[in-house]
Amino acid sequence: MIIFKDVTYQYGEKTPPVLEDLDLIIPEGQYVALIGPNGCGKTTLIKHLNALLIPSRGGVSIDDMDTREAARHRDIRCRVGMVFQNPDHQIVGMSVEEDVAFALENLAVPLRELTPLVRKALARVGMEGFEKRAPFTLSGGEKRLASLAGVLIMNPRYLALDEPTAYLDPAGRRRILGMIGQLHLEGMGIIHVTHDIGEVADADRIIVMELGRIIMDGTPAAVCAFLMSRDNPGLEAPAMAALMAKLKESGWDLPTNVISLEAAHREIHSCLTRLAKAR
Ligand SMILES: Nc1ncnc2c1ncn2[C@@H]1O[C@H](COP(=O)(O)OP(=O)(O)OP(=O)(O)O)[C@@H](O)[C@H]1O
Ligand SMILES: [Mg+2]
């Protein structure tokens, strides 16, 4: 379980807090999405998950390991895999193979054991054959997949992803989202930062942040209803919910807390069926 207890974070002593009095519990195996406008503190929050940042006040614990204890950092970083917002930040080696192996090399896994593990991790993200490529020659999407492989090789219990579908084409996006869904099914806890609520319709829970605070935390349907009920600068209600609201305005009997295309299709279809029966 991940616990944030009354967490406040400031980048500098004289700068205002970026996270303020934040309380949050993420049980093992939960799929949590984190949304909010630019600069609201999403990246800052998830950097607390593997002790890249330590709270200025309050505490964060990962499976009972307090991130304030430096001796725990290694275990914490094995427990929580992190895929950064900018994949260039995760490039450290001369080849994709070195990059993917980096974390395990750090943990002193013998070299001969690494090669098959690297191959397996790359295959898991659909990047077979990229072992010898120089990381800087990869496309944005390929870099992201390679950094995901470098995290999966550690077999973490939780996976934090900072806008994992940015720069990806629709096929790459579907592939990453499918992979996240699959990892969740296999029991991995997921913390998924995104600007597109449409891609986290299947999350167990969506957390909405604004100005360093959590302003809403609930099921996708509840968060959708919340977003529809207010004007959100920098945060859009789901496109499907907006469409349903417009249809409702025109007299259709439809719910508006709908996020995914599939759910919208289902609702419109059943509405049409009801209308046909009534005639
Ligand atoms: N290293 C830093 N030093 C000082 N301020 C920082 C630093 N990193 C981030 N900030 C500030 O902290 C605030 C929160 O930034 P953060 O990157 O967590 O936001 P975000 O929600 O991830 O935004 P985005 O959606 O644009 O990625 C912003 O005002 C940002 O300018
Ligand atoms: Mg960010």
Side-chain angles (χ1 to χ4, degrees):
M1 193 187 310
I2 295 175
I3 301 176
F4 280 59
K5 182 109 191 53
D6 210 11
V7 170
T8 292
Y9 184 78
Q10 289 168 272
Y11 278 100
E13 271 177 24
K14 298 204 172 91
T15 54
V18 170
L19 301 179
E20 268 196 284
D21 303 326
L22 217 119
D23 284 302
L24 177 63
I25 294 179
I26 301 175
E28 214 174 297
Q30 198 171 56
Y31 185 164
V32 182
L34 185 57
I35 64 171
N38 289 132
C40 71
K42 304 180 296 295
T43 297
T44 305
L45 188 156
I46 66 164
K47 281 184 174 168
H48 280 78
L49 294 173
N50 70 349
L52 288 172
L53 295 177
I54 310 296
S56 309
R57 214 175 53 231
V60 173
S61 66
I62 314 294
D63 295 342
D64 290 328
M65 295 182 283
D66 193 314
T67 64
R68 285 170 293 198
E69 293 172 29
R72 296 290 207 167
H73 287 183
R74 196 179 151 123
D75 286 344
I76 288 172
R77 286 175 189 149
C78 289
R79 202 62 68 90
V80 185
M82 176 83 71
V83 178
F84 291 104
Q85 188 160 9
N86 181 347
D88 286 333
H89 291 171
Q90 227 142 348
I91 291 177
V92 287
M94 299 296 285
S95 64
V96 168
E97 183 174 45
E98 274 182 35
D99 256 359
V100 173
F102 176 72
L104 284 181
E105 260 186 286
N106 268 351
L107 296 174
V109 174
L111 260 176
R112 67 190 146 70
E113 285 178 25
L114 286 180
T115 312
L117 292 177
V118 168
R119 195 174 308 131
K120 201 170 136 207
L122 281 171
R124 205 162 169 196
V125 299
M127 296 258 304
E128 302 91 338
F130 279 75
E131 283 85 345
K132 302 295 175 200
R133 283 276 293 277
F136 69 87
T137 65
L138 301 183
S139 74
E142 289 164 350
K143 278 181 194 161
R144 199 165 278 281
L145 290 169
S147 58
L148 180 58
V151 167
L152 292 182
I153 201 170
M154 306 275 294
N155 261 327
R157 188 174 291 173
Y158 307 92
L159 181 62
L161 307 114
D162 202 348
E163 300 188 33
T165 58
Y167 314 116
L168 296 184
D169 66 12
R173 192 163 166 250
R174 272 196 299 277
R175 193 157 79 188
I176 282 271
L177 293 174
M179 226 174 291
I180 295 172
Q182 181 58 36
L183 291 167
H184 175 232
L185 277 182
E186 290 167 15
M188 200 178 284
I190 306 285
I191 299 96
H192 177 171
V193 175
T194 181
H195 280 280
D196 180 2
I197 188 176
E199 67 180 35
V200 288
D202 293 330
D204 294 319
R205 170 182 176 198
I206 300 179
I207 293 171
V208 186
M209 283 184 75
E210 198 173 81
L211 296 171
R213 290 176 186 274
I214 292 173
I215 58 164
M216 174 69 190
D217 181 349
T219 61
V223 168
C224 182
F226 170 78
L227 293 177
M228 293 297 288
S229 69
R230 68 199 282 275
D231 195 17
N232 310 284
L235 245 192
E236 245 176 15
M240 287 303 133
L243 168 66
M244 303 296 265
K246 287 248 178 278
L247 289 171
K248 194 172 177 184
E249 268 171 39
S250 321
W252 291 51
D253 175 22
L254 286 169
T256 57
N257 58 352
V258 169
I259 298 179
S260 68
L261 175 66
E262 292 71 25
H265 173 243
R266 221 169 26 241
E267 293 294 347
I268 292 172
H269 188 266
S270 83
C271 179
L272 287 173
T273 310
R274 284 197 302 276
L275 281 174
K277 274 191 190 143
R279 278 206 188 110

